[in-house]
Amino acid sequence: METKKVQVAIIGAGFGGLTAAALLAQKGLQVAVVEQNKYPGGCASSYKRKGYWFETGATTLVGLDPDMPLRYLLDQTDIQLPALRLETPMQVRLTDGTVITRFPGLEDWIREAERVFGPEGQQAFWETCYAISRKVWRTSLRQLSFPFSNLSDVWEAVMSVRWEQIGLVPLAFSTMRDLLSRHKLLDNERFVQFVDQQLLITAQNYHPEVNVLFGATALCYTLYGNYYLPGGLRQLAERVVQYLEEKQGQMLYGRVVQKVVPLPQGGYEVTTDKGLIEAEFVFFNVPINNVHSLYQEENIKRKLKPILLPAEEVNGAVTWGIVFDRTLTTPQVLHHQLHVPGGVPFIGSDSIFVSLSHPEDELRAPKGKCVASVSTHVHHPHTTWITQKKDLEKWVVRFLAEQGFFKEEDVHFVQAATPGAWIEWTGREWGQVGGYPQYQRIKPWQMKDARLDGKKAYLCGDTVYPGQGIPGVCLSGIIAAKKLLRDHF
């Protein structure tokens, strides 16, 4: 069996791992990314069917504003993206047909929220959320030692602290329920339902569980630059891969990692279905549940066990890819959250998210055609096994036709994918997506630090702190890379 020797082995080509790979390669380390699929990007990639490109999971690109992690990565590497800024980030349609436009300007959005939900409390609530989100992003790249796992982390945090960062600490102890109550919005049932479905996109949970620190930031992502990448989000991962390979890094596609064993002499042996890899350092860019299965050291398994979330506390997804004729009635706004009266059949979720290809993007679909990537959450994916794919395909076409996205006869292709497809595509246990949901009982310092074993194994991705969304996983890769470099170089 072939044995390949590298300095750094990164397991998984999701965007957190690619971020770490690029930053380590930039510093001269020899990096190899091990990926079971033939495309990079993980849950922020694209796949091809029938000649069209569909988004795998994430569909919106956020994080290019100042003080945000993706901006930092691009500035450090000089990677260029062909990104198109969206004039309108999203529209939301309630069950009664009311259309809400998530305007990118704070004042415009407040007026829209007051129009739909009434004026009481809206301005103060959204001004508070936006102020918190700005502080969070300014802090994110200044406190790269958090969560702490040694005294050096604490010292670095103290040396980098600013007064506004101290003011953020109490927000980890209160929930969005508390914030809604403070602004007399908790009894505004229509607004609370809107907030919950918006939180589900980014925080994977609802207002009683999501802490203010994360929830306020999550609710404000449409108030920052939202971008579209011609050709799909795969372009983001592929440009980072190109940079990595220019720095002599390697992409090892089509290799399924079976186990990782620490070696007595130091370093790690990574067993794949196509041979062995020996590495001085190893990065796990997979969910913590998968890390627990892969890493063969009982002491570390015991330490990980208390922070693992069970299947009933994570989310899976059902996704649909649809191709239809673009007409004059096709929505101009590309991203939509649609509340579903009575819930999605067989699943029970309350909304679906619809992302349309740009009308000028002929890399994803020929002119005159539109690609829609549609998704919804599946709670408890381990027990909510979806087998009614054809019924769901018929339902989504009928529902979107009723919403005016197209006529049923204009649809050329539709295909549904269940959590089982996510298991096959990503290898993520139970087909979980979107990272770990926010739970109030889990405080930030209880989340897993980037150091896995205190030696030369590290973690990044959407189930470690901080994760979720492209900006979050990018930040997790930045933190992990910085800690490795500080620990050993």
Side-chain angles (χ1 to χ4, degrees):
M1 184 179 286
E2 173 197 1
T3 298
K4 188 177 187 64
K5 294 189 177 184
V6 299
Q7 190 175 15
V8 184
I10 295 181
I11 301 170
F15 198 68
L18 291 179
T19 295
L23 294 175
L24 294 175
Q26 181 194 46
K27 297 299 184 182
L29 277 69
Q30 180 198 18
V31 179
V33 180
V34 187
E35 169 58 45
Q36 69 172 7
N37 284 307
K38 58 182 178 180
Y39 302 125
C43 295
S45 186
S46 314
Y47 66 94
K48 197 172 188 179
R49 290 286 187 278
K50 305 291 185 181
Y52 302 92
W53 283 95
F54 300 91
E55 300 292 33
T56 301
T59 57
T60 56
L61 181 61
V62 183
L64 294 177
D65 296 75
D67 300 317
M68 297 184 84
L70 185 54
R71 177 76 275 149
Y72 172 86
L73 173 66
L74 299 185
D75 288 345
Q76 290 292 309
T77 58
D78 200 31
I79 294 172
Q80 303 297 312
L81 294 178
L84 304 175
R85 184 159 185 159
L86 301 180
E87 291 185 11
T88 304
M90 184 202 306
Q91 286 185 325
V92 179
R93 195 169 304 188
L94 305 181
T95 53
D96 62 4
T98 301
V99 175
I100 306 168
T101 300
R102 292 295 317 252
F103 291 106
L106 178 60
E107 292 305 318
D108 290 338
W109 164 238
I110 290 173
R111 284 194 293 270
E112 178 75 346
E114 290 177 338
R115 177 187 71 82
V116 177
F117 302 112
E120 184 177 12
Q122 291 293 329
Q123 181 162 352
F125 176 81
W126 288 106
E127 286 177 347
T128 298
C129 286
Y130 186 59
I132 291 169
S133 74
R134 292 187 66 188
K135 291 177 183 178
V136 166
W137 288 124
R138 284 197 295 266
T139 300
S140 67
L141 293 172
R142 294 175 183 167
Q143 290 291 349
L144 294 178
S145 62
F146 191 80
F148 312 136
S149 58
N150 59 34
L151 290 176
S152 176
D153 285 345
V154 176
W155 177 248
E156 182 168 306
V158 169
M159 296 302 293
S160 303
V161 75
R162 299 291 185 273
W163 177 251
E164 70 174 13
Q165 297 168 10
I166 297 174
L168 292 174
V169 174
L171 302 180
F173 294 89
S174 59
T175 67
M176 291 303 294
R177 179 185 179 87
D178 300 325
L179 189 64
L180 288 164
S181 178
R182 195 178 312 147
H183 291 91
K184 298 181 172 56
L185 289 166
L186 201 55
D187 293 331
N188 188 335
E189 185 177 344
R190 199 163 180 241
F191 181 63
V192 172
Q193 290 174 348
F194 164 81
V195 166
D196 273 343
Q197 294 307 303
Q198 291 280 282
L199 286 174
L200 196 57
I201 296 174
T202 46
Q204 305 293 315
N205 217 331
Y206 304 112
H207 73 277
E209 291 287 355
V210 180
N211 69 55
V212 174
L213 194 66
F214 195 96
T217 306
L219 287 179
C220 290
Y221 86 89
T222 54
L223 299 176
Y224 293 86
N226 282 239
Y227 294 84
Y228 179 88
L229 281 179
L233 275 180
R234 65 189 177 94
Q235 300 289 343
L236 173 61
E238 288 178 358
R239 275 164 171 72
V240 178
V241 167
Q242 181 182 356
Y243 175 86
L244 173 64
E245 292 178 337
E246 288 172 355
K247 296 293 183 180
Q248 311 308 311
Q250 303 174 72
M251 295 296 300
L252 306 178
Y253 294 112
R255 301 194 187 204
V256 178
V257 174
Q258 298 168 331
K259 64 180 180 178
V260 178
V261 179
L263 298 172
Q265 68 273 25
Y268 304 85
E269 182 179 79
V270 181
T271 302
T272 78
D273 60 341
K274 294 184 179 176
L276 300 176
I277 300 170
E278 288 187 9
E280 181 181 359
F281 301 94
V282 65
F283 270 60
F284 288 87
N285 181 39
V286 295
I288 296 178
N289 299 77
N290 293 76
V291 176
H292 184 265
S293 301
L294 291 173
Y295 192 71
Q296 304 302 302
E297 186 177 331
E298 288 305 317
N299 183 45
I300 300 302
K301 285 179 176 288
R302 283 194 298 271
K303 289 181 178 179
L304 285 178
K305 195 168 183 179
I307 64 174
L308 299 179
L309 289 187
E312 58 269 21
E313 292 189 351
V314 303
N315 295 306
V318 165
T319 61
W320 297 266
I322 306 172
V323 178
F324 60 92
D325 291 330
R326 193 182 294 275
T327 67
L328 293 177
T329 61
T330 303
Q332 296 300 302
V333 174
L334 299 186
H335 301 298
H336 304 260
Q337 187 182 51
L338 309 178
H339 293 212
V340 180
V344 178
F346 311 112
I347 301 170
S349 52
D350 294 319
S351 66
I352 62 174
F353 195 83
V354 182
S355 291
L356 307 178
S357 60
H358 195 282
E360 302 302 320
D361 184 3
E362 295 187 35
L363 295 173
R364 292 184 63 192
K367 200 167 186 66
K369 297 288 190 295
C370 184
V371 172
S373 296
V374 185
S375 62
T376 192
H377 284 79
V378 176
H379 301 300
H380 308 171
H382 186 57
T383 56
T384 313
W385 202 250
I386 310 298
T387 59
Q388 303 89 347
K389 288 177 61 174
K390 292 301 178 185
D391 293 324
L392 284 167
E393 288 169 2
K394 292 176 183 176
W395 173 82
V396 79
V397 169
R398 185 170 62 251
F399 180 71
L400 290 178
E402 290 170 353
Q403 300 294 316
F405 279 73
F406 45 67
K407 294 180 180 179
E408 289 190 49
E409 57 266 29
D410 290 336
V411 174
H412 296 276
F413 173 80
V414 57
Q415 185 177 52
T418 68
W422 282 90
I423 295 173
E424 183 179 350
W425 173 264
T426 66
R428 296 165 70 96
E429 192 165 10
W430 312 307
Q432 63 175 295
V433 300
Y436 270 2
Q438 292 284 307
Y439 287 101
Q440 175 57 15
R441 72 178 190 272
I442 303 172
K443 300 300 184 277
W445 54 87
Q446 294 174 305
M447 301 177 79
K448 186 68 186 82
D449 171 53
R451 300 181 183 94
L452 174 60
D453 59 2
K455 299 174 185 176
K456 294 186 176 182
Y458 293 81
L459 293 169
C460 60
D462 63 7
T463 59
V464 299
Y465 180 89
Q468 303 187 12
I470 290 175
V473 295
C474 182
L475 182 57
S476 78
I478 293 169
I479 290 172
K482 180 177 175 60
K483 288 197 173 184
L484 181 152
L485 292 169
R486 186 155 58 85
D487 291 345
H488 301 286
F489 294 94

Short mmCIF file of all heavy atoms in Angstrom, two decimals, residues 445-481:
data_model
loop_
_atom_site.label_atom_id
_atom_site.label_comp_id
_atom_site.label_asym_id
_atom_site.label_seq_id
_atom_site.Cartn_x
_atom_site.Cartn_y
_atom_site.Cartn_z
N TRP A 445 -16.94 29.54 25.69
CA TRP A 445 -15.71 28.91 26.17
C TRP A 445 -15.86 27.39 26.36
O TRP A 445 -14.88 26.70 26.61
CB TRP A 445 -15.27 29.55 27.49
CG TRP A 445 -16.34 29.55 28.54
CD1 TRP A 445 -16.62 28.56 29.43
CD2 TRP A 445 -17.26 30.60 28.78
NE1 TRP A 445 -17.68 28.92 30.21
CE2 TRP A 445 -18.10 30.17 29.84
CE3 TRP A 445 -17.49 31.86 28.21
CZ2 TRP A 445 -19.13 30.98 30.34
CZ3 TRP A 445 -18.50 32.63 28.71
CH2 TRP A 445 -19.30 32.20 29.75
N GLN A 446 -17.10 26.88 26.23
CA GLN A 446 -17.31 25.44 26.30
C GLN A 446 -17.20 24.79 24.93
O GLN A 446 -17.20 23.56 24.83
CB GLN A 446 -18.69 25.14 26.91
CG GLN A 446 -18.83 25.56 28.36
CD GLN A 446 -20.24 25.38 28.87
OE1 GLN A 446 -21.20 25.90 28.30
NE2 GLN A 446 -20.38 24.62 29.94
N MET A 447 -17.11 25.59 23.89
CA MET A 447 -16.97 25.05 22.55
C MET A 447 -15.52 24.68 22.30
O MET A 447 -14.61 25.15 22.98
CB MET A 447 -17.49 26.06 21.52
CG MET A 447 -18.95 26.42 21.75
SD MET A 447 -19.58 27.68 20.61
CE MET A 447 -19.88 26.67 19.17
N LYS A 448 -15.30 23.82 21.33
CA LYS A 448 -13.98 23.21 21.17
C LYS A 448 -12.97 24.19 20.60
O LYS A 448 -13.20 24.82 19.57
CB LYS A 448 -14.07 21.99 20.26
CG LYS A 448 -12.75 21.22 20.15
CD LYS A 448 -12.39 20.55 21.46
CE LYS A 448 -11.00 19.91 21.40
NZ LYS A 448 -9.92 20.87 21.64
N ASP A 449 -11.84 24.28 21.29
CA ASP A 449 -10.71 25.06 20.81
C ASP A 449 -10.14 24.41 19.55
O ASP A 449 -10.34 23.22 19.29
CB ASP A 449 -9.65 25.10 21.91
CG ASP A 449 -8.34 25.69 21.43
OD1 ASP A 449 -8.36 26.80 20.89
OD2 ASP A 449 -7.31 25.01 21.59
N ALA A 450 -9.38 25.17 18.77
CA ALA A 450 -8.79 24.66 17.53
C ALA A 450 -7.76 23.55 17.77
O ALA A 450 -7.47 22.78 16.86
CB ALA A 450 -8.13 25.80 16.75
N ARG A 451 -7.22 23.46 18.98
CA ARG A 451 -6.24 22.40 19.27
C ARG A 451 -6.99 21.13 19.66
O ARG A 451 -7.72 21.11 20.65
CB ARG A 451 -5.32 22.83 20.40
CG ARG A 451 -4.50 24.09 20.09
CD ARG A 451 -3.58 24.42 21.25
NE ARG A 451 -2.85 25.66 20.99
CZ ARG A 451 -3.24 26.86 21.41
NH1 ARG A 451 -4.37 26.97 22.11
NH2 ARG A 451 -2.53 27.93 21.15
N LEU A 452 -6.78 20.06 18.91
CA LEU A 452 -7.47 18.81 19.20
C LEU A 452 -6.83 18.05 20.35
O LEU A 452 -7.50 17.64 21.30
CB LEU A 452 -7.53 17.92 17.94
CG LEU A 452 -8.11 16.52 18.15
CD1 LEU A 452 -9.54 16.60 18.64
CD2 LEU A 452 -8.01 15.69 16.87
N ASP A 453 -5.52 17.83 20.26
CA ASP A 453 -4.87 16.95 21.24
C ASP A 453 -3.75 17.63 22.03
O ASP A 453 -3.03 16.97 22.78
CB ASP A 453 -4.33 15.69 20.55
CG ASP A 453 -3.32 16.01 19.45
OD1 ASP A 453 -3.00 17.20 19.25
OD2 ASP A 453 -2.86 15.07 18.79
N GLY A 454 -3.59 18.93 21.83
CA GLY A 454 -2.51 19.63 22.53
C GLY A 454 -1.15 19.34 21.96
O GLY A 454 -0.13 19.74 22.52
N LYS A 455 -1.10 18.62 20.84
CA LYS A 455 0.18 18.30 20.20
C LYS A 455 0.22 18.94 18.82
O LYS A 455 0.42 20.13 18.70
CB LYS A 455 0.36 16.78 20.15
CG LYS A 455 0.37 16.12 21.53
CD LYS A 455 0.41 14.61 21.44
CE LYS A 455 0.31 13.98 22.83
NZ LYS A 455 0.23 12.49 22.76
N LYS A 456 -0.05 18.15 17.79
CA LYS A 456 0.03 18.70 16.44
C LYS A 456 -1.20 18.37 15.61
O LYS A 456 -1.13 18.34 14.39
CB LYS A 456 1.30 18.19 15.74
CG LYS A 456 2.59 18.69 16.40
CD LYS A 456 3.82 18.30 15.61
CE LYS A 456 5.09 18.88 16.22
NZ LYS A 456 6.30 18.54 15.44
N ALA A 457 -2.34 18.16 16.28
CA ALA A 457 -3.60 17.95 15.58
C ALA A 457 -4.52 19.13 15.88
O ALA A 457 -4.63 19.58 17.04
CB ALA A 457 -4.26 16.65 16.01
N TYR A 458 -5.20 19.63 14.85
CA TYR A 458 -6.01 20.84 14.96
C TYR A 458 -7.38 20.62 14.32
O TYR A 458 -7.57 19.69 13.54
CB TYR A 458 -5.30 22.03 14.31
CG TYR A 458 -4.05 22.44 15.05
CD1 TYR A 458 -2.85 21.73 14.85
CD2 TYR A 458 -4.04 23.47 15.96
CE1 TYR A 458 -1.70 22.07 15.54
CE2 TYR A 458 -2.89 23.83 16.66
CZ TYR A 458 -1.72 23.12 16.44
OH TYR A 458 -0.59 23.45 17.13
N LEU A 459 -8.31 21.52 14.67
CA LEU A 459 -9.68 21.44 14.19
C LEU A 459 -10.11 22.74 13.55
O LEU A 459 -9.73 23.83 14.00
CB LEU A 459 -10.64 21.18 15.36
CG LEU A 459 -10.59 19.85 16.09
CD1 LEU A 459 -11.45 19.96 17.36
CD2 LEU A 459 -11.10 18.74 15.21
N CYS A 460 -10.93 22.65 12.52
CA CYS A 460 -11.62 23.82 11.97
C CYS A 460 -12.91 23.32 11.33
O CYS A 460 -13.16 22.13 11.25
CB CYS A 460 -10.75 24.59 10.98
SG CYS A 460 -10.23 23.65 9.54
N GLY A 461 -13.74 24.24 10.87
CA GLY A 461 -14.99 23.84 10.26
C GLY A 461 -16.19 24.36 11.02
O GLY A 461 -16.06 25.10 12.00
N ASP A 462 -17.39 23.94 10.60
CA ASP A 462 -18.60 24.59 11.11
C ASP A 462 -19.14 24.02 12.41
O ASP A 462 -20.16 24.50 12.91
CB ASP A 462 -19.70 24.60 10.04
CG ASP A 462 -20.15 23.21 9.63
OD1 ASP A 462 -19.73 22.22 10.25
OD2 ASP A 462 -20.94 23.12 8.66
N THR A 463 -18.48 23.01 13.00
CA THR A 463 -18.94 22.53 14.30
C THR A 463 -18.00 22.91 15.43
O THR A 463 -18.20 22.48 16.57
CB THR A 463 -19.15 21.00 14.31
OG1 THR A 463 -17.92 20.36 13.98
CG2 THR A 463 -20.23 20.59 13.34
N VAL A 464 -16.97 23.69 15.13
CA VAL A 464 -16.09 24.19 16.18
C VAL A 464 -16.28 25.70 16.28
O VAL A 464 -16.87 26.34 15.42
CB VAL A 464 -14.60 23.86 15.90
CG1 VAL A 464 -14.40 22.36 15.84
CG2 VAL A 464 -14.10 24.50 14.62
N TYR A 465 -15.76 26.26 17.36
CA TYR A 465 -15.92 27.71 17.54
C TYR A 465 -14.85 28.45 16.73
O TYR A 465 -13.67 28.17 16.88
CB TYR A 465 -15.75 28.10 19.02
CG TYR A 465 -15.91 29.59 19.22
CD1 TYR A 465 -17.15 30.12 19.45
CD2 TYR A 465 -14.82 30.44 19.12
CE1 TYR A 465 -17.31 31.49 19.61
CE2 TYR A 465 -14.96 31.80 19.27
CZ TYR A 465 -16.21 32.32 19.52
OH TYR A 465 -16.36 33.67 19.67
N PRO A 466 -15.24 29.47 15.96
CA PRO A 466 -16.61 29.76 15.59
C PRO A 466 -16.89 29.13 14.23
O PRO A 466 -16.01 29.09 13.37
CB PRO A 466 -16.60 31.28 15.50
CG PRO A 466 -15.22 31.61 15.04
CD PRO A 466 -14.31 30.50 15.53
N GLY A 467 -18.06 28.65 14.01
CA GLY A 467 -18.39 28.01 12.74
C GLY A 467 -19.66 28.59 12.14
O GLY A 467 -20.14 29.62 12.56
N GLN A 468 -20.19 27.89 11.15
CA GLN A 468 -21.44 28.22 10.46
C GLN A 468 -21.29 29.38 9.48
O GLN A 468 -20.83 30.45 9.83
CB GLN A 468 -22.57 28.51 11.45
CG GLN A 468 -22.82 27.35 12.41
CD GLN A 468 -24.03 27.56 13.27
OE1 GLN A 468 -24.83 28.44 13.05
NE2 GLN A 468 -24.18 26.72 14.27
N GLY A 469 -21.71 29.10 8.26
CA GLY A 469 -21.65 30.11 7.22
C GLY A 469 -20.23 30.28 6.71
O GLY A 469 -19.26 29.95 7.41
N ILE A 470 -20.10 30.82 5.52
CA ILE A 470 -18.77 31.01 4.93
C ILE A 470 -17.88 31.90 5.80
O ILE A 470 -16.72 31.56 6.05
CB ILE A 470 -18.90 31.54 3.49
CG1 ILE A 470 -19.46 30.43 2.59
CG2 ILE A 470 -17.54 32.01 2.96
CD1 ILE A 470 -19.75 30.86 1.17
N PRO A 471 -18.38 33.05 6.31
CA PRO A 471 -17.50 33.85 7.19
C PRO A 471 -17.05 33.08 8.43
O PRO A 471 -15.90 33.19 8.85
CB PRO A 471 -18.37 35.06 7.56
CG PRO A 471 -19.38 35.16 6.47
CD PRO A 471 -19.66 33.74 6.07
N GLY A 472 -17.97 32.30 9.03
CA GLY A 472 -17.63 31.56 10.24
C GLY A 472 -16.59 30.49 10.01
O GLY A 472 -15.63 30.37 10.77
N VAL A 473 -16.77 29.67 8.96
CA VAL A 473 -15.80 28.60 8.73
C VAL A 473 -14.46 29.17 8.26
O VAL A 473 -13.40 28.62 8.57
CB VAL A 473 -16.33 27.54 7.74
CG1 VAL A 473 -17.52 26.83 8.33
CG2 VAL A 473 -16.65 28.11 6.39
N CYS A 474 -14.52 30.28 7.53
CA CYS A 474 -13.27 30.95 7.15
C CYS A 474 -12.52 31.40 8.39
O CYS A 474 -11.31 31.17 8.52
CB CYS A 474 -13.59 32.15 6.24
SG CYS A 474 -12.13 33.04 5.65
N LEU A 475 -13.24 31.97 9.36
CA LEU A 475 -12.61 32.41 10.61
C LEU A 475 -12.04 31.21 11.36
O LEU A 475 -10.94 31.29 11.94
CB LEU A 475 -13.62 33.15 11.47
CG LEU A 475 -13.11 33.72 12.79
CD1 LEU A 475 -11.95 34.66 12.58
CD2 LEU A 475 -14.25 34.43 13.54
N SER A 476 -12.75 30.08 11.35
CA SER A 476 -12.24 28.90 12.05
C SER A 476 -10.92 28.43 11.44
O SER A 476 -10.02 27.98 12.15
CB SER A 476 -13.27 27.77 12.01
OG SER A 476 -13.29 27.10 10.76
N GLY A 477 -10.79 28.52 10.11
CA GLY A 477 -9.54 28.16 9.46
C GLY A 477 -8.41 29.12 9.79
O GLY A 477 -7.26 28.73 9.98
N ILE A 478 -8.75 30.42 9.87
CA ILE A 478 -7.75 31.44 10.22
C ILE A 478 -7.22 31.18 11.63
O ILE A 478 -6.01 31.21 11.89
CB ILE A 478 -8.37 32.85 10.12
CG1 ILE A 478 -8.70 33.19 8.66
CG2 ILE A 478 -7.42 33.90 10.72
CD1 ILE A 478 -9.54 34.46 8.51
N ILE A 479 -8.15 30.91 12.56
CA ILE A 479 -7.76 30.67 13.95
C ILE A 479 -6.88 29.43 14.07
O ILE A 479 -5.83 29.44 14.73
CB ILE A 479 -9.01 30.52 14.84
CG1 ILE A 479 -9.72 31.87 14.97
CG2 ILE A 479 -8.65 29.97 16.21
CD1 ILE A 479 -11.07 31.80 15.67
N ALA A 480 -7.28 28.34 13.41
CA ALA A 480 -6.52 27.09 13.51
C ALA A 480 -5.12 27.25 12.92
O ALA A 480 -4.13 26.79 13.50
CB ALA A 480 -7.27 25.96 12.81
N ALA A 481 -5.03 27.91 11.77
CA ALA A 481 -3.71 28.12 11.15
C ALA A 481 -2.83 28.99 12.04
O ALA A 481 -1.64 28.71 12.22
CB ALA A 481 -3.89 28.76 9.78
#
